[in-house]
């Protein structure tokens, strides 16, 4: 049987924006799928910065050996100022032409997708985005690469904090990542048995928080945990602690998990997701898809126009919010 005609023959892959565990597993999947499909595959080092500078290397089966379990990204990543401007993207396109590259896979977050979309609009180049960010705040996929690992890392730390909170009968405020989204906070809060979860998607006043704290104390809880997403409107963990002390004379300890949540070996869930999305990104390019993101929705591969991935908002799971309210009392 005759094989379908391939719409690309020389493709490249880059990782861009904030790093996320599982990016390496995805690079590996892209490289090996491409080679298996008879394509030439190149790695662009340092995200869009490397693209603009022409920092490109040929990839082989062996260049991605022994990386599926490693956090970070072997291709490195960057924030690239020049790529925000037409002149920078022109340079990027010239580099791609020079190398005869006709397809590009961008592994990153919504900022990286905005850049990819701009390049697609301006030049004839096929691009597929793969969602990788610990925040999980991208529309068009139930999960982003790195989210599950970040949740598990944060949870591990929260379990440890709970031990000390319990021993000293203390109130702890733990700040997790998620600037504009509460996905990490909600998952970690439920799994860590938090008494309260503060997320940007749900408004809560200081009075309400104080009332909630009074209720737990009366209910006989000997330790309590508040999990707060870094972008919550009440403020960051330190500000909340200072306000609780000043207005209500409540003592609490603060723990900011910070960048520990970005690192570490990806979980099995992230490796599976990264392998699956990387594989389908290459097949998508071969079929001629472009200006889309490959995602995982209701246990299926779905391609979503890049623009929708940041224009549409992925909601928090309302039922999970309800479940946590019921279980935390
Ligand atoms: P992330 O992909 O994790 O959201 P950033 O928002 O930092 O990370 O975006 C990564 C890079 O993508 C930026 O440094 C820039 O080079 C490029 N980029 C982001 N937004 C745009 C945009 N609106 N137009 C062109 N390029 C962009």
């Amino acid at each position: 049987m005759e094989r379908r005609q391939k719409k690309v023959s020389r493709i490249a892959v880059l990782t861009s924006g904030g790093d996320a565990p599982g990016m390496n597993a995805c690079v590996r999947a892209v490289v090996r799928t491409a080679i298996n499909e008879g394509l030439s595959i190149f790695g662009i080092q340092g995200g869009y910065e490397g693209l603009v500078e022409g920092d490109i290397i040929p990839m082989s089966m062996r260049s991605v050996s022994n990386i599926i379990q490693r956090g970070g990204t072997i291709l490195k990543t960057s924030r690239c100022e020049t790529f925000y401007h037409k002149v920078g993207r022109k340079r990027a396109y010239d580099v791609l032409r020079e190398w005869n590259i006709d397809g590009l896979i961008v592994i990153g977050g919504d900022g990286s997708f905005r850049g990819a979309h701009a390049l697609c609009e301006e030049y004839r180049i096929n691009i597929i985005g793969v969602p990788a960010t610990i925040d999980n705040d991208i529309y068009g996929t139930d999960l982003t690469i790195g989210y599950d690992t970040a949740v598990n890392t944060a949870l591990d730390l929260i379990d440890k904090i709970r031990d000390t909170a319990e021993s000293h009968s203390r109130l702890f405020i733990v700040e997790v990542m998620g600037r504009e989204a509460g996905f990490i906070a909600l998952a970690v809060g439920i799994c860590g048995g938090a008494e309260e979860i503060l997320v940007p998607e749900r408004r809560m006043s200081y009075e309400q928080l104080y009332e909630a704290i009074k209720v737990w104390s009366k209910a006989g809880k000997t330790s309590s945990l508040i999990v707060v997403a870094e972008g919550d409107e009440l403020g960051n963990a330190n500000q909340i602690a200072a306000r609780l002390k000043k207005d209500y004379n409540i003592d609490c300890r603060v723990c900011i998990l910070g960048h520990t949540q970005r690192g570490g070996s990806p979980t099995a869930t992230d490796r599976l997701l990264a392998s699956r999305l990387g594989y389908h990104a290459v097949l998508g390019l071969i079929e001629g898809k472009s200006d889309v993101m490959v995602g995982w929705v209701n246990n299926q591969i779905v391609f979503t126009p890049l623009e929708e991935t940041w224009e549409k908002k992925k909601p928090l799971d309302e039922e999970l919010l309800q479940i946590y309210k019921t279980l935390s009392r």
Side-chain angles (χ1 to χ4, degrees):
M1 203 177 71
E2 207 190 329
R3 293 201 57 156
R4 66 199 182 282
Q5 205 202 330
K6 298 188 173 90
K7 303 286 194 212
V8 289
S9 59
R10 288 165 65 86
I11 69 168
V13 56
L14 61 79
T15 51
S16 169
D19 63 308
M23 278 182 159
N24 279 328
C26 190
V27 170
R28 171 180 178 271
V30 167
V31 168
R32 293 199 171 161
T33 306
I35 294 170
N36 194 51
E37 291 290 325
L39 307 180
S40 299
I41 171 81
F42 301 88
I44 298 170
Q45 306 196 91
Y48 290 135
E49 195 69 45
L51 178 55
V52 169
E53 298 299 326
D55 191 354
I56 297 178
I57 47 166
M59 303 290 280
S60 69
M61 288 286 190
R62 293 290 73 79
S63 42
V64 290
S65 291
N66 202 22
I67 64 166
I68 193 169
Q69 77 283 17
R70 282 167 59 188
T73 158
I74 59 158
L75 289 178
K76 310 277 189 210
T77 179
S78 68
R79 316 264 180 194
C80 173
E81 177 54 34
T82 32
F83 209 76
Y84 284 99
H85 310 287
K86 277 196 166 175
V87 56
R89 295 194 292 272
K90 164 90 172 57
R91 258 166 51 200
Y93 182 66
D94 289 343
V95 167
L96 291 170
R97 290 259 322 246
E98 211 176 288
W99 284 75
N100 277 323
I101 289 170
D102 48 14
L104 180 62
I105 291 175
V106 172
I107 305 168
D110 72 307
S112 305
F113 295 166
R114 284 170 208 253
H117 175 65
L119 197 63
C120 276
E121 291 227 298
E122 289 158 6
Y123 302 101
R124 275 171 60 97
I125 171 84
N126 290 337
I127 308 184
I128 291 190
V130 184
T133 163
I134 63 166
D135 291 341
N136 199 30
D137 57 347
I138 294 186
Y139 179 86
T141 189
D142 293 343
L143 290 174
T144 57
I145 295 169
Y147 168 67
D148 186 67
T149 306
V151 167
N152 278 286
T153 303
L155 189 58
D156 196 34
L157 296 166
I158 282 194
D159 287 347
K160 294 183 167 84
I161 292 166
R162 175 72 86 178
D163 288 347
T164 178
E166 185 71 36
S167 307
H168 293 273
S169 301
R170 269 180 188 149
L171 167 60
F172 262 84
I173 303 182
V174 182
E175 184 179 304
V176 299
M177 280 191 162
R179 255 169 311 170
E180 280 144 33
F183 292 97
I184 296 181
L186 183 57
V188 162
I190 290 179
C191 300
E195 274 65 31
E196 195 59 66
I197 305 173
L198 304 175
V199 291
E201 292 89 342
R202 208 174 118 251
R203 284 166 175 267
M204 189 178 209
S205 65
Y206 274 103
E207 291 69 35
Q208 286 169 321
L209 182 56
Y210 174 61
E211 288 306 319
I213 294 172
K214 276 203 309 202
V215 172
W216 319 323
S217 308
K218 280 203 190 118
K221 291 206 176 219
T222 52
S223 71
S224 29
L225 273 182
I226 298 173
V227 173
V228 55
E230 61 184 337
D232 189 74
E233 63 177 33
L234 281 188
N236 61 34
N238 279 316
Q239 290 164 332
I240 295 170
R243 184 78 183 267
L244 286 178
K245 178 71 187 165
K246 181 167 152 278
D247 290 359
Y248 305 102
N249 200 28
I250 292 175
D251 283 313
C252 41
R253 296 284 192 276
V254 167
C255 186
I256 297 166
L257 302 187
H259 281 83
T260 53
Q261 293 158 93
R262 273 193 196 284
S265 184
T267 57
T269 297
D270 270 331
R271 294 182 206 191
L272 273 175
L273 181 70
S275 301
R276 196 167 342 231
L277 296 185
Y279 173 83
H280 281 283
V282 174
L283 298 191
L285 275 183
I286 289 173
E287 287 167 14
K289 290 191 168 65
S290 182
D291 205 7
V292 291
M293 180 195 81
V294 59
W296 186 242
V297 181
N298 291 333
N299 288 325
Q300 275 184 1
I301 286 292
V302 173
F303 289 89
T304 302
L306 282 179
E307 263 182 308
E308 284 186 22
T309 64
W310 67 83
E311 279 177 356
K312 294 192 175 172
K313 190 161 168 59
K314 179 155 104 186
L316 272 191
D317 186 333
E318 282 297 324
E319 195 197 30
L320 268 188
L321 278 169
Q322 193 50 50
I323 288 174
Y324 120 73
K325 277 190 214 151
T326 307
L327 303 189
S328 62
R329 295 301 163 235

